[in-house]
Amino acid sequence: MLRIVVIVSLVLLVSLSPPAQATQQANAIPKNQIVKKLECLNDSSQSYALYLPSNYTPDRKWPILYALDPGARGKTPVERFKEAAEKYGWILAGSNNSRNGPWRRAADAWSAMTKDTQQRFSIDDDRVYATGFSGGARVALQIAQLCQDCLAGVIASGAGFPAGLAPSTSMHFFSLAPPVSMTSIFRVEKSRCSAYESRHQRKDCQRNQNVSKRRTERPRLLARVNIYR
């Protein structure tokens, strides 16, 4: 059931376009400050903490980082990433409902948050990331595994892979030892070829980027960092 919920959510994530009412409400949301609780348009029982960079405008597409906390503290991870998000121009969204416990609750929270942000904001579907701490990290990794290529990467902290999910050759790791600046994560995303471990792989990636502006293949970034230091 979780797989069905998550897959349906991610199909909607790439197909929804912001309606006029949602766009108007998005324009009223303050920029360069954390909104502690933003209720979802289609389900007021679901909410998330939000950060919009000061230069946000719906005229272009923006990268987004979805955060999952084990205690449903959406504001906590958003605070940790705020400085880097402002510097590099990212949207941050942290669920106030996803927490350790039943998978269905986490899946519903993910579905509500992703659909609502897609309705309100102009998001680059090729630059959608997820992060989590402890149980939230396991949820983020599970979602990435279920939806295959819907996420550009996962930043997992304080937990390993969930039961039944193991690293494979299709996953590329970029490890950062704490303490680490949050801006490091965004620098890595900006230069995605650095996610490859092999020097030859990095050269091939860079060569492909020079040939085409739009890559046909993206390494999945799974970074282990201490975001709650």
Side-chain angles (χ1 to χ4, degrees), residues 14 24-25 35 40 47 71 89 99 103 120 131 136 154 156 164 167-168 178 191-192 196 198 203 207-208 225 228:
V14 298
Q24 291 175 358
Q25 292 190 24
V35 178
C40 294
S47 69
R99 63 189 309 143
W103 278 101
R120 293 178 188 266
T131 186
V154 173
S168 71
S191 178
R192 300 186 184 101
Y196 286 108
S198 162
K203 284 187 175 181
R207 188 160 43 246
N208 290 337
V225 298
Y228 283 70

Side-chain angles (χ1 to χ4, degrees), residues 130-148:
T131 186
F133 173 70
S134 188
R138 292 191 176 92
V139 172
L141 289 166
Q142 188 70 57
I143 289 171
Q145 191 270 337
L146 290 173
C147 71
Q148 299 301 319

Side-chain angles (χ1 to χ4, degrees), residues 21-228:
Q21 181 181 4
T23 302
Q24 291 175 358
Q25 292 190 24
N27 292 335
I29 295 173
K31 302 172 186 177
N32 196 24
Q33 69 180 68
I34 296 175
V35 178
K36 296 180 181 179
K37 183 178 180 180
L38 186 63
E39 293 184 353
C40 294
L41 295 172
N42 297 327
D43 184 354
S44 60
S45 69
Q46 297 279 350
S47 69
Y48 54 94
L50 177 78
Y51 179 80
L52 290 179
S54 58
N55 60 339
Y56 173 81
T57 170
D59 297 336
R60 71 174 181 87
K61 301 290 186 179
W62 297 78
I64 188 168
L65 177 65
Y66 292 110
L68 302 168
D69 182 86
R73 300 165 298 181
K75 181 185 174 184
T76 300
V78 172
E79 286 178 325
R80 300 300 187 269
F81 284 97
K82 175 186 174 183
E83 182 179 348
E86 175 62 23
K87 182 175 181 178
Y88 292 97
W90 281 59
I91 299 172
L92 304 174
S95 174
N96 290 323
N97 295 83
S98 178
R99 63 189 309 143
N100 288 352
W103 278 101
R104 180 57 186 266
R105 177 167 56 198
D108 287 345
W110 172 266
S111 176
M113 177 171 61
T114 54
K115 284 190 290 186
D116 195 74
T117 51
Q118 285 287 332
Q119 285 183 303
R120 293 178 188 266
F121 310 112
S122 180
I123 294 173
D124 185 344
D125 294 330
D126 291 328
R127 300 175 69 193
V128 177
Y129 287 75
T131 186
F133 173 70
S134 188
R138 292 191 176 92
V139 172
L141 289 166
Q142 188 70 57
I143 289 171
Q145 191 270 337
L146 290 173
C147 71
Q148 299 301 319
D149 294 328
C150 66
L151 294 177
V154 173
I155 303 168
S157 178
F161 281 79
L165 179 62
S168 71
T169 55
S170 64
M171 299 179 180
H172 298 269
F173 287 85
F174 185 89
S175 298
L176 295 173
V180 62
S181 167
M182 289 303 93
T183 58
S184 300
I185 299 301
F186 296 89
R187 291 196 192 103
V188 169
E189 198 277 343
K190 192 173 183 180
S191 178
R192 300 186 184 101
C193 294
S194 64
Y196 286 108
E197 296 176 357
S198 162
R199 177 170 58 87
H200 297 294
Q201 287 178 316
R202 290 195 296 271
K203 284 187 175 181
D204 288 341
C205 172
Q206 291 164 355
R207 188 160 43 246
N208 290 337
Q209 282 187 332
N210 291 333
V211 171
S212 173
K213 291 183 179 179
R214 182 177 179 84
R215 295 184 56 197
T216 57
E217 201 171 321
R218 181 196 304 277
R220 175 159 292 147
L221 168 66
L222 298 173
R224 288 182 175 278
V225 298
N226 183 8
I227 66 174
Y228 283 70

